Amino acid sequence: MVGNVTLVHNGIIENYSELKSYLIQKGVNFNSQTDTEVACAYINYVYENMKDFKDEDERKLKSILKACLDFRGSYAFGIIFKDTPDVIYSTRKDSPLVIGLSDEGNFIASDISAILDYTKKYILLNYMEFAKIEKDNVTIYDKNLEIITKKINEATWSATECKKNGYEHFMLKEINEQPSVIKNVYSRFFENKDENYSKVDFSKYTNIHIVACGSAMHASLIGKYLFENYANIPTTVEIASEYRYKKLLLTPSTLVIIVSQSGETADSLAALRISKENKATVLGIVNAVGSTIAREADITIYTHAGPEIAVATTKGYTTQVATFACLVINAMKQKNIKYDFTLENEYNNIDKIIQSVIDKTNEYKDIAKSLSNRNDIFFIGRGNDYNMCMEGSLKLKEISYIHSEAYPAGELKHGTISLIEEGTPVIAIATDKELYEKTVSNIKETKARGAFTIFITTEEFKDTYTKDFADITLFLPTTSLFNEAIIIVTALQLIAYETAKLRGCDIDKPKNLAKSVTVE
Ligand code: F6R
């Protein structure tokens, strides 16, 4: 609170030190180092100096608007003035904000799941829109402070979906939802329940840029693998925070795909906007319905994973992979590329197959025991297996706080193998027939240097497999290549989960992490 103004802020005011120096010159004192206090003080300063207004309401709204024009960065604000403690003023730029509407009162939150216990009705604000929120009334204004009418949305998620429902952690609950949400992605596609797939005409595009962050970027690597191997479309995967500042070689025949569970990730959103400014067609693969990326993409395909509460994504990632599989099948159909319909047959049983992976709890617990007291862990694999390693490694490090790295197995001997010492865990993934022997040779190289080796493969290799190089082996069901990452990564999620549990970590809320990264 500064003077007349109290506020809550989600985001970052990038030019806060400039504004702070200005305010200090004007005699304002500060109690903290935060950009939020500067935002609060600046709105208060503008408010106190605001002349030329019709009434108190206009003064408050105008001072917020004028201050916001001087802020650089991202914000969602809830603002209360001292003399009207029952009124919240609100506005946003690049940070998410929902205004929940109910008969008992109205409120603001940064995520729909936070309001579902009270209401399913909500309003979304655009940049330069302002809300005056009272117990029984919400008024929305445009940038000229004219009253406007906004659409009232109805959330499709229920409050029960946002509860643990008997599971020890949200992460475990969400891992266990994968059989049904993956089946749902496929049935929506194969039973033609989602018209958005047909809006993407792959015969128009000569190349694809997939842009995302973190696990969504890892899911995109699987997408690239499928697009290139099956639909013959050259595809690059770009990290959103890099893409937004690099030279974009976009042509009218480039399709840009932005992948985001939350639909609010700042860098992914910025990449979307830059791509659109460059006249590219943008396809969004998004989970959160009505989120900014979903709204701003030219075409949006929802993954329908339902609310994901655990910070570490699980069903968010696997539904993205399944959506890529559907898109690639569609691209093949449109380009008259023959395929053997394995996926179409497989999807009928996919829920049971994933469930059988989840049910191997004791095996995950055994692996976790061998990892939980180690400091460094390596994941190795080749081709698409390496893409899965990247997600497995991220999952493990983010929730268990054990340092881990994913390496293309053939790259180890170019440096990293020097880190392998007696007992260092190396997790090798080998699911690809063409590369199986090569990966086995690489795991043997680490075993010869003292590594504790964990070998993850599929049942089709049970006959060729020799026991001599692995301390622990995990056999998982054989599926088509379209579903392999879903199967393997589900197991890796559970290994990460059991390891973090043994270490007593705060699994659903790992330190230093936020569920949606709405700042750059
Ligand atoms: C890791 C994780 C993050 C997100 C990333 C992108 O478990 O959850 O790496 O995948 O922050 O988030 P979205 O998909 O919301 O854009």
Side-chain angles (χ1 to χ4, degrees), residues 213-216 260-262 265 311-313 394-395 398:
C213 302
S215 292
S260 175
Q261 186 284 127
S262 64
T265 302
V311 164
T313 186
L394 176 62
K395 214 82 314 174
E398 71 176 322

Side-chain angles (χ1 to χ4, degrees), residues 246-279:
K246 67 175 259 194
K247 181 173 177 185
L248 297 184
L249 299 172
L250 288 166
T251 72
S253 54
T254 306
L255 173 69
V256 176
I257 305 182
I258 307 281
V259 187
S260 175
Q261 186 284 127
S262 64
E264 300 293 349
T265 302
D267 286 320
S268 307
L269 178 59
L272 177 153
R273 289 181 176 158
I274 293 165
S275 305
K276 282 184 78 171
E277 277 160 26
N278 282 274
K279 310 270 179 279

